[in-house]
Amino acid sequence: MKEKKTLWLVVHTHWEGAVFKTRDEYLEDGFRIILNGLNLMQQHPDYRFVLDQVCHVKPFLERYPEQRQILKQRIAEGRLEIVGGMDIMPDVNMPAGESFVRQVLYGKRYWRETLGVEVASGWLLDTFGHHAQMPQLLNLAGLKSYWFFRGVQSVDTPSEFLWQGIDGSRIPAFWLPYGYSMFHFAPGNKVEFDSWVRQGFAAVEAFAPDAADLVGLAGADVSDPEGHVPGLVEQFNRDSDAPFSIRFGVPSDFERVAAERVEKNVIEGEFNPVFQGSYSSRIDIKQWVRALEVQLTTAEKLDAIAHGLGAATEREALWRAWEPMLFNQTHDLMSGVMVDKVYDDSLTSFRFSERLVEEIIDREFDSILAKIDTRGEGIPVVVFNGQGWSRTDVAEIAVAFSQPGIVDVNLQGPDGEEVPVQITEPQRFDDGGLRQAKLVFVAEDIPALGYAVYHVLPQQSLRASGQAAGRAGSEHWSKAWSSGTSHRDSSSIENEFYRATFNCWTGEMTSLYVKDGDWEALSGPANVIAREHDGGDFWELYGNLDGARNIAMSRPHAVPTRETGAQLSNQFIGAGNVVEGLVFTEFNSAQPFGSGSLSTRVRVYNGIRRVEIRTTINNEDRFVRYRAVFPTTCKKGTNTHEIPFGAIERAEGIEFPAQRWVDCGDGQRGVALLNRGLPGNNTVDGTLLLSLMRSARINSYAYQGGYEAGAGSDSGLMEGRQLSFDYALMPHGESWREAQVYRAGYEFNEPLLVRKAEAHAGVLCKRWGLLELSQANVVVSALKVGEEGATIFRVYEAEGKGAAGLRIKLNAEVESAAIVNLVEDVDGSLEVEDNSIQIDLGPFEIKTLALRLRLRTD
C-alpha cells in the first residue's frame, strides 16, 4: 500500500498592526485571538499555533502578565512557535536598510528577553516585494528560513528553494503560491471539508509533485483560529480515503522535513515589483520615514560619540523614538493603503518620534559641544558630518543680532581662512541693519564622523561692492542681480561642474552641460512634470487591487507625453528667474498646472557636484499622478537602482522601488537621479522617470475586516494639499561606481548638521574625526551604542567589487573588537593593532563590529 503524503496545517493569524482599524482598535481583536489560540491548544493536544509580531504580543502580555508562563510552556512543548522576529511585518523595499536592522534587533531581543525564544523563521507573508539583499540580512539576523507570498518572477517557481542574494548569501525560502489563508475559512461539516481540503492539497501539490510533505497555511487578516477545524481534521484522518493525512504543525516542523528538497533549487535576485501604486500613494508617509531615519541614525551617532567621551547613553530614549516609526513601516502603512483615521494616527506617531529625536539630538550635540575648544572671535558654529568619509557640502545656520548697524558678516574656517557666505531670508531693523538671517556656506573637508568649528563675525561696514552685495543677499540685490522673463526667454545657472539652462516661461530645463568631458546630459526638455489621469486605488497604478497577486509586476509604463494623454508642465506659461550669489545660484519658476499650481527651485552650489531641485505641487485634482521626466543622452545604458546595502541592475520600462538613487549609464557616462523619500523610479530608453505623488483612495475591498461603517480614505486624494519634493541630478563622466553615486545619495539625504555654540575652552580641537577607512568603496551605515554597551559600527561594500584588507583606523583607544550579528551577538573576535582593525569585505557584504573604546581628544 502506497504511503500517504502529509499536509502540514500551519495555523496563524496575519496580524495587520493597523490598516482598516487603528493600532489600539485592532489590539482588542488581537487579545481575543491569542486567547482563543491558547484555548484550542488546551483542548486539543495535537493543535499548533503561530504568532509573529512584537506589536501584537507585547501589549497582550502587558495587560495579561499571567499568560506569560502559559506562552512559555506551549513554546517549550513545540506547540506554539514565534516567527518573524520583528516588531511588525514591514515593507522592506522603501525603508532604509538600517530600519530593517532595528526591526530584528528590537524584535528578536524582545522575544529572547521575554519568552526565552531564539526566533529562527523569517515570516513576511504579505510584504509587497523583497529586495536582493534579504538573504544576507536574514542570515545576519540569525534567521534560518524565509516564508513569503508575493513577488516571484514566474508561476513555475517551486514552492521551496534556496534564495541567493547579490552577495552570494543563501537562505531556504518557502513560497506560498496560494497565499497565507489558503486553508482558512474551512467548511463546517465533514463532507464539505473533505472536498475542500482535497482541492487545496491538489493545488499546492502541483508546485512540489514529488514531495511527501506539503504545507498549507490557515489564517487570514486579523483572524481567529477556527475552533471547528481540529475536530474535522481528526475525522478526516480517521475516515477519509484521501492520499494524504493532515497534521498540525509549526513552520520549523515543515522546514525540517522539507530541508532536503529545498537544496535542489536555487533562485537568484529579487522578488519585485509588487503593487507599484503604493510607491507614491500617500507620499508624505515615505517622506516622513526617510526624514526620521536620518534623524534617528544621526542621533545614534551623536550618542555613540558622546558616550565615548564619557556621557551616559540615551539608548532607551532612542528606542522610544524608534518604535513608532518602525511600527509605521508595517507593509500596509508604509505603502499608504490605510483608511483616513489610521493615516491620521500615523502622522501623530511620526510627530511624536520627531519631537523625541530632536530633543535627543539637541542634548547629545550639547554634550559634545561642551568638550570642543570653540574659542575665537565671533559666534562659534560647529558643523558635523555623519558620513564615514571626509566631506565637502552645504551648511546652513540661522543667526540673530541685537546690536544695531550689522550690515554684513564674515565667516572664518577652522584654520582662520575666510569662507564665502551667502545671506538668505534677511530680516532688518528700521535702520537697515540685520536682525535675523540664514547663512549658507560650503563647509570643506569635514572629517569622517567628525566636525569642524567655524566663526561668524558680524560686520558694521560693507566690503567691496560686488562681494558685499552677494554676501548681504538683500532684497535690493536679489532684484538687481536676477534675470528672467522681464529680460530674456532663457537663463542659466552654473558652477564648476555643470551649466543648466532653462526656459523662463515654462520652467523646463533645456540643457544640462557637463564641463568635465564637454558633453550634454539631456536629450530633451527635463524636469518637466507630467500630470496623468490615474483611476487606480492605493495599491495599483491605473487599476484596482487584486489581493491574490503574488507574481512580480511586468507591465511597462511608458514615458508620459501629450500623445499618451498626459498634461505636461511646459504646456503652461508661468514666470521664471535666476538669482546669483557667492555660494549658490538658483532658478525659480511658478505656473498654473491642472486645477492647481506648480513651482520649482533648481539650485547649484559652488564646489558641490549635484543639481538640486525642489518641486512644489498644489494639487486640486482627483485621481491623478505626477511624475518628473528627465530624458538623458544615455540611451543604451544600464538601469541601476540602489537597494538597502547595495545596488542592482533592473529592467527598463517598469517602475521599481529604489532607495536614495537610480543611475542610467553606459560605464563611460551616466546621469544619476537622487531622491529624498521618493521610491517610485523607472527608466525608459534613457529617460529617467520619478514618481512624485498620486491622488488615490480605496475603491473597493472585499476581504475580511474591510471597512467599518463611516471609515473612508479620501484624504489619500491629496486634494487641496501642497507638497514639496526634493531630488537632484548628478551627471558623471564615468561609471556610477567611479563617480561614487552611492556617496552622493547619502550626502543629499543627510545634510551636514550645524549648531551654534558658546565660546569656551575644551579638550577637543577645532577639527576632529572619529575614523579613517583605507578603501573608498565602503559605507559606514551605523554608529551606535550597542545593547551590551559596546560601540557598534556597521559597514558594507557599496560597489559590488569587494574590499579585501579594509583597514579601519579609530581616533580612540580601542580595548577590544569583535564581529557581531545584527542582533549584536558576538560571532568572533578581531585583532586590534595601533587602534586599527582590519577586515575583508566581499562584494556587497555587510559586517557589524562591536568595539570597546574611549575616544581620544588630541
Side-chain angles (χ1 to χ4, degrees):
M1 181 178 178
K2 187 176 181 180
E3 187 174 350
K4 284 190 173 186
K5 294 187 175 185
T6 301
L7 173 64
W8 292 84
L9 200 60
V10 176
V11 184
H12 71 106
T13 183
H14 173 46
W15 185 245
E16 291 282 20
V19 59
F20 300 117
K21 294 183 179 181
T22 66
R23 182 175 190 173
D24 290 340
E25 289 171 340
Y26 266 142
L27 282 174
E28 294 304 317
D29 297 325
F31 297 160
R32 181 195 68 239
I33 290 167
I34 295 173
L35 290 168
N36 283 343
L38 293 173
N39 178 264
L40 285 171
M41 281 188 278
Q42 181 69 28
Q43 293 183 58
H44 304 280
D46 293 335
Y47 194 76
R48 305 288 187 268
F49 195 54
V50 176
L51 292 170
D52 71 317
Q53 297 174 46
V54 171
C55 71
H56 182 191
V57 178
K58 185 173 184 284
F60 173 80
L61 290 177
E62 289 171 346
R63 182 177 292 190
Y64 305 113
E66 67 276 12
Q67 297 296 320
R68 178 169 172 266
Q69 290 305 316
I70 297 174
L71 289 178
K72 292 184 72 173
Q73 179 183 343
R74 296 293 177 248
I75 290 168
E77 295 167 351
R79 300 175 60 201
L80 173 66
E81 188 154 278
I82 306 296
V83 297
M86 301 173 207
D87 187 30
I88 43 87
M89 187 178 291
D91 181 272
V92 297
N93 284 313
M94 292 182 280
E98 284 298 328
S99 283
F100 181 83
V101 176
R102 298 309 175 284
Q103 292 282 1
V104 294
L105 180 58
Y106 180 87
K108 291 199 72 176
R109 285 266 175 173
Y110 175 82
W111 295 121
R112 176 188 296 176
E113 294 166 4
T114 305
L115 296 175
V117 174
E118 291 298 329
V119 177
S121 295
W123 191 261
L124 297 189
L125 303 185
D126 195 28
T127 295
F128 304 161
H130 313 264
H131 64 78
Q133 276 283 46
M134 285 298 291
Q136 181 179 187
L137 289 168
L138 294 163
N139 282 324
L140 291 173
L143 296 168
K144 307 301 182 186
S145 64
Y146 194 55
W147 294 66
F148 74 105
F149 169 35
R150 305 188 191 275
V152 298
Q153 301 299 313
S154 167
V155 293
D156 298 324
T157 303
S159 52
E160 296 89 31
F161 56 88
L162 284 177
W163 181 19
Q164 180 170 309
I166 57 174
D167 74 310
S169 295
R170 293 180 174 183
I171 193 163
F174 298 86
W175 174 51
L176 306 170
Y178 293 98
Y180 51 81
S181 58
M182 184 180 186
F183 289 93
H184 197 68
F185 309 111
N189 62 76
K190 174 182 176 181
V191 173
E192 289 181 302
F193 181 84
D194 186 285
S195 174
W196 174 79
V197 79
R198 286 173 185 258
Q199 292 176 24
F201 179 86
V204 296
E205 187 180 33
F207 290 86
D210 299 326
D213 296 88
L214 301 167
V215 68
L217 268 61
D221 299 355
V222 196
S223 62
D224 284 276
E226 297 179 304
H228 62 286
V229 169
L232 290 171
V233 167
E234 184 178 348
Q235 291 182 56
F236 179 89
N237 287 338
R238 183 183 64 236
D239 300 337
S240 178
D241 61 354
F244 64 95
S245 60
I246 303 172
R247 182 174 175 178
F248 288 108
V250 293
S252 62
D253 292 331
F254 184 71
E255 290 168 16
R256 283 190 290 271
V257 299
E260 186 174 335
R261 74 169 183 267
V262 166
E263 302 285 335
K264 295 179 180 179
N265 299 290
V266 177
I267 296 178
E268 300 180 20
E270 64 176 337
F271 303 132
N272 278 314
V274 177
F275 301 150
Q276 295 151 301
S278 67
Y279 305 152
S280 48
S281 293
R282 296 197 191 271
I283 191 63
D284 50 340
I285 296 287
K286 288 73 168 170
Q287 294 172 309
W288 265 108
V289 167
R290 178 66 59 80
L292 282 171
E293 287 173 331
V294 169
Q295 287 182 294
L296 286 160
T297 53
T298 297
E300 289 179 334
K301 292 168 184 175
L302 293 170
D303 183 53
I305 292 171
H307 185 60
L309 293 168
T313 178
E314 297 229 28
R315 184 175 58 239
E316 294 306 316
L318 279 161
W319 274 124
R320 190 163 175 251
W322 266 107
E323 198 282 333
M325 201 269 286
L326 293 178
F327 181 85
N328 281 332
Q329 293 177 7
T330 301
H331 56 285
D332 289 317
L333 302 188
M334 187 72 205
S335 298
V337 302
M338 70 284 265
V339 297
D340 290 341
K341 63 181 178 179
V342 176
Y343 169 73
D344 292 340
D345 258 17
S346 294
L347 295 186
T348 298
S349 60
F350 281 140
R351 295 184 186 106
F352 174 80
S353 290
E354 180 184 48
R355 185 175 67 253
L356 288 183
V357 73
E358 286 177 347
E359 292 172 354
I360 294 169
I361 287 173
D362 287 343
R363 289 194 299 268
E364 298 290 10
F365 214 140
D366 286 345
S367 175
I368 297 168
L369 289 177
K371 296 184 180 297
I372 300 173
D373 183 352
T374 58
R375 290 174 295 181
E377 184 182 359
I379 305 167
V381 173
V382 179
V383 180
F384 176 75
N385 170 24
Q387 301 308 319
W389 53 84
S390 177
R391 170 182 176 190
T392 295
D393 215 326
V394 62
E396 183 176 303
I397 189 69
V399 293
F401 308 103
S402 57
Q403 61 270 48
I406 303 301
V407 295
D408 201 355
V409 297
N410 282 349
L411 183 66
Q412 287 185 353
D415 301 317
E417 73 280 12
E418 186 173 354
V419 177
V421 63
Q422 192 162 330
I423 298 176
T424 67
E425 303 177 31
Q427 299 180 35
R428 301 180 181 279
F429 293 109
D430 291 341
D431 65 358
L434 288 170
R435 183 180 67 237
Q436 294 160 279
K438 288 184 179 179
L439 307 182
V440 180
F441 60 99
V442 172
E444 295 188 359
D445 299 324
I446 307 301
L449 289 163
Y451 65 84
V453 179
Y454 291 73
H455 285 85
V456 176
L457 286 73
Q459 302 293 305
Q460 292 187 320
S461 62
L462 294 175
R463 312 194 59 173
S465 59
Q467 289 186 333
R471 298 173 75 83
S474 69
E475 297 89 337
H476 298 294
W477 168 80
S478 295
K479 292 177 182 177
W481 290 95
S482 66
S483 61
T485 52
S486 59
H487 297 87
R488 60 185 66 185
D489 296 327
S490 66
S491 286
S492 297
I493 61 176
E494 63 182 301
N495 62 10
E496 59 265 54
F497 301 108
Y498 310 117
R499 181 174 65 248
T501 304
F502 303 88
N503 183 318
C504 292
W505 296 102
T506 63
E508 66 194 82
M509 186 184 297
T510 57
S511 172
L512 182 53
Y513 172 71
V514 185
K515 296 182 179 182
D516 184 7
D518 186 24
W519 60 284
E520 173 61 49
L522 301 178
S523 63
N527 200 36
V528 173
I529 308 303
R531 174 185 171 277
E532 304 162 83
H533 175 72
D534 180 359
D537 60 15
F538 285 143
W539 291 266
E540 294 282 17
L541 296 169
Y542 317 112
N544 292 325
L545 170 71
D546 178 352
R549 176 77 187 208
N550 64 347
I551 306 299
M553 272 58 174
S554 59
R555 182 176 56 167
H557 297 124
V559 175
T561 63
R562 297 184 194 185
E563 289 72 26
T564 64
Q567 281 189 322
L568 305 178
S569 59
N570 60 357
Q571 295 175 248
F572 295 80
I573 299 300
N577 71 298
V578 168
V579 178
E580 299 181 2
L582 287 180
V583 175
F584 66 82
T585 303
E586 68 182 26
F587 172 79
N588 295 281
S589 67
Q591 62 211 86
F593 195 36
S595 302
S597 62
L598 170 75
S599 62
T600 298
R601 185 193 77 191
V602 185
R603 182 180 284 185
V604 292
Y605 295 91
N606 294 330
I608 299 176
R609 194 185 181 194
R610 61 176 180 260
V611 180
E612 295 191 2
I613 304 170
R614 170 168 290 179
T615 293
T616 299
I617 294 173
N618 291 295
N619 179 58
E620 298 291 347
D621 296 294
R622 291 185 164 206
F623 305 113
V624 295
R625 70 181 298 211
Y626 297 89
R627 289 192 280 173
V629 182
F630 299 92
T632 77
T633 53
C634 302
K635 295 297 185 183
K636 297 182 179 180
T638 56
N639 178 31
T640 306
H641 288 198
E642 186 190 32
I643 63 173
F645 300 109
I648 189 171
E649 290 186 14
R650 283 171 162 164
E652 285 201 357
I654 301 171
E655 184 158 314
F656 284 92
Q659 286 280 307
R660 302 165 190 84
W661 59 269
V662 300
D663 186 84
C664 181
D666 60 9
Q668 303 300 315
R669 292 176 177 173
V671 178
L673 177 58
L674 320 177
N675 77 82
R676 288 181 185 155
L678 305 173
N681 284 264
N682 184 8
T683 304
V684 181
D685 191 24
T687 296
L688 294 163
L689 300 170
L690 177 64
S691 286
L692 301 182
M693 62 171 285
R694 299 178 70 226
S695 167
R697 67 183 178 194
I698 302 172
N699 295 331
S700 63
Y701 202 86
Y703 292 90
Q704 180 186 16
Y707 276 113
E708 289 187 313
S713 61
D714 280 2
S715 67
L717 294 169
M718 300 292 183
E719 197 172 13
R721 293 282 300 275
Q722 176 177 295
L723 293 100
S724 293
F725 311 97
D726 292 316
Y727 46 97
L729 290 171
M730 182 190 164
H732 49 89
E734 60 272 285
S735 71
W736 68 264
R737 293 177 173 88
E738 293 167 318
Q740 298 181 322
V741 170
Y742 50 90
R743 285 191 174 190
Y746 272 102
E747 290 173 356
F748 181 63
N749 276 268
E750 302 183 23
L752 294 171
L753 193 60
V754 188
R755 289 288 191 276
K756 297 186 294 292
E758 295 182 0
H760 53 65
V763 295
L764 290 170
C765 59
K766 288 182 168 58
R767 187 191 293 271
W768 181 92
L770 177 57
L771 58 72
E772 295 178 5
L773 302 178
S774 65
Q775 299 186 44
N777 57 320
V778 175
V779 171
V780 179
S781 65
L783 167 66
K784 61 185 287 289
V785 178
E787 301 305 297
E788 305 301 328
T791 299
I792 300 295
F793 288 86
R794 188 154 26 257
V795 297
Y796 71 94
E797 196 283 316
E799 296 183 11
K801 65 181 186 182
L806 172 69
R807 188 171 181 82
I808 306 172
K809 184 172 179 58
L810 282 301
N811 193 0
E813 299 293 336
V814 183
E815 298 175 6
S816 64
I819 294 285
V820 298
N821 62 17
L822 298 185
V823 194
E824 299 178 10
D825 300 324
V826 175
D827 283 343
S829 61
L830 289 170
E831 184 177 333
V832 179
E833 182 180 345
D834 190 25
N835 297 313
S836 298
I837 300 149
Q838 184 168 306
I839 60 173
D840 295 327
L841 289 176
F844 295 125
E845 185 177 6
I846 306 162
K847 280 190 177 176
T848 306
L849 315 177
L851 280 62
R852 298 285 176 177
L853 54 77
R854 179 174 55 84
L855 299 187
R856 295 168 57 180
T857 58
D858 52 341

